[in-house]
Amino acid sequence: MHGHGDGTVVRAHQDSSAGLGRGGLLGREQREERERRLLRPGATLAEGAGNRARAEEPDDERTCFERDRDRIVHSTAFRRLAGKTQVVVYPSDHQRTRLTHALEVAQVACSVARGIGANVSLTEAIALGHDCGHGPGGHASEDAFDRFLPAGFDHGPWGADVTLVDLNLCAETLDGIRNHSWSRPAPATIEGEIVSWADRIAYCSHDLEDAAHAGIVDLDDLPGEVTAVAGRTRRDQLSAFIRAILHTVDTEGEIGMGATEAAALAALRAFNYERIYTRQESLAQSDAVVAVLTTLVDYYLEDSRRLPDGVGEATDEVHAAVGYVAGMTDRYAFATAVERLGWDPRRLPQGIDRQFTQSL
């Protein structure tokens, strides 16, 4: 339990022989110098960044974007993604959650960033944090919360400006999170643009894989323009689309794809929408999510004293109620509806109603 050592160094393993040369630690200043020498023109440098809403002293070891990544990974909002819907409410052990989606986006984005010489730490921070503003029940939560907010509910800006605001992240990180969706203004950094592509590539391929494993779709039905360019499997599709971006950067100096590959990705997304996202069962799931979440928000609006102490002290009652419900995991939101509102478990989204019926 105490490790193994000779009085000078304690080692984890009795037969450990791992060793390095002494000295030469790479602190923040050395890492920033490496970025200046190695990153591609147009990449975002950590040196001179660290533009935070509340000024902080630089860290001795980590760059500002490395600190952002670490803060996101250790945040409550990031941990809760494990209990939030990607596509299937209350997924099986083999289906993606919002957390595993974020990790897969980070893998795709970092592969691109490394390949083109962009800032990997900033890319990873944006990718890991890009969906922290999502509510329970997937994109249906946005439809639910839209009803309460005049400007609507968009998980990107909500994540950057509400959910993660206490982390005091860099402006560049928040900008990438805020604007990762294609319907938003373009991110201000190359790294933010990379995450925008990585998000679409990742969810198109892994949502298809989950649906195929669940028997919802047959990969033999994929359009020929998809399979001819990117194949049928998640592995082949990720490889094809990542390489397409790398090739475009190499030949055109822009973050994007050639027309053929971009058309294949668009066709894959359209296939998913038709066969997965907008099929009858998915729409019924969305309707059930909206019903639960809107009723929960109304419940807290009726009496703000029902909110936990400290929730919403710095904002109005509507934002406080929406923010509290948006921060819930699927399990907690649906359990709260059953326990506090007397919600009929049979009206819960498909996939969890049986569990609650058995537990009551």
Side-chain angles (χ1 to χ4, degrees):
M1 295 298 294
H2 299 287
H4 307 275
D6 54 11
T8 302
V9 177
V10 176
R11 303 173 184 85
H13 304 277
Q14 187 171 10
D15 59 347
S16 175
S17 60
L20 292 169
R22 296 180 181 178
L25 299 180
L26 297 176
R28 174 181 54 81
E29 293 182 350
Q30 288 75 24
R31 298 182 198 188
E32 291 174 346
E33 169 60 26
R34 276 190 169 187
E35 289 184 358
R36 289 195 298 272
R37 289 188 289 106
L38 298 177
L39 294 191
R40 191 186 201 93
T44 305
L45 298 177
E47 184 180 32
N51 180 19
R52 305 181 190 275
R54 301 183 300 279
E56 298 181 12
E57 289 296 318
D59 189 72
D60 290 338
E61 287 80 31
R62 298 167 296 169
T63 70
C64 58
F65 301 136
E66 290 171 343
R67 293 180 86 182
D68 280 2
R69 177 202 56 211
D70 295 348
R71 290 178 183 185
I72 291 168
V73 167
H74 291 283
S75 69
T76 300
F78 184 74
R79 290 196 301 276
R80 285 179 180 170
L81 294 180
K84 293 193 176 187
T85 296
Q86 171 58 22
V87 173
V88 180
V89 171
Y90 206 76
S92 72
D93 291 344
H94 302 288
Q95 293 166 329
R96 269 77 173 185
T97 64
R98 191 63 61 177
L99 177 64
T100 54
H101 163 68
L103 294 173
E104 292 187 39
V105 172
Q107 183 273 313
V108 172
C110 288
S111 292
V112 173
R114 291 189 185 96
I116 69 172
N119 193 309
V120 176
S121 296
L122 174 57
T123 303
E124 187 176 21
I126 295 170
L128 293 174
H130 83 282
D131 269 357
C132 282
H134 260 297
H139 281 280
S141 65
E142 294 184 304
D143 296 331
F145 302 141
D146 275 345
R147 305 183 184 189
F148 300 95
L149 304 173
F153 183 97
D154 186 324
H155 70 278
W158 189 270
D161 302 330
V162 180
T163 307
L164 299 174
V165 68
D166 290 342
L167 300 186
N168 199 32
L169 302 175
C170 295
E172 296 85 350
T173 305
L174 292 173
D175 169 79
I177 293 170
R178 185 181 298 112
N179 296 315
H180 71 272
S181 296
W182 286 27
S183 58
R184 295 282 304 166
T189 65
I190 291 296
E191 292 76 11
E193 292 264 10
I194 291 171
V195 174
S196 293
W197 278 98
D199 181 32
R200 181 158 296 194
I201 291 168
Y203 77 68
C204 283
S205 61
H206 68 50
D207 289 354
L208 176 68
E209 183 177 63
D210 277 356
H213 286 168
I216 295 171
V217 299
D218 188 335
L219 297 181
D220 289 337
D221 293 335
L222 277 172
E225 64 180 313
V226 174
T227 58
V229 173
R232 285 179 169 80
T233 68
R234 183 242 325 140
R235 178 178 181 177
D236 289 341
Q237 290 161 2
L238 295 184
S239 177
F241 293 133
I242 289 171
R243 288 194 169 101
I245 295 178
L246 298 179
H247 177 73
T248 300
V249 172
D250 183 42
T251 58
E252 305 296 333
E254 295 185 46
I255 303 298
M257 280 187 193
T260 300
E261 293 84 2
L265 179 60
L268 174 56
R269 186 170 182 266
F271 179 85
N272 284 0
Y273 263 87
E274 178 184 352
R275 301 297 185 91
I276 304 171
Y277 310 140
T278 60
R279 67 192 184 99
Q280 183 177 353
E281 293 84 355
S282 296
L283 295 177
Q285 173 182 284
S286 296
D287 290 343
V289 168
V290 170
V292 172
L293 298 186
T294 54
T295 306
L296 278 173
V297 174
D298 283 333
Y299 170 76
Y300 291 109
L301 285 176
E302 289 171 3
D303 187 351
S304 61
R305 291 173 299 180
R306 293 167 174 167
L307 292 169
D309 292 340
V311 172
E313 291 181 348
T315 188
D316 60 80
E317 291 183 355
V318 174
H319 276 76
V322 170
Y324 181 59
V325 177
M328 294 178 174
T329 61
D330 296 358
R331 181 195 298 271
Y332 188 71
F334 303 139
T336 300
V338 171
E339 294 167 4
R340 294 202 175 191
L341 309 180
W343 197 266
D344 185 346
R346 292 171 295 183
R347 295 180 60 202
L348 292 171
Q350 186 177 4
I352 65 165
D353 52 349
R354 182 177 302 174
Q355 175 187 348
F356 276 103
T357 301
Q358 291 174 346
S359 65
L360 292 176

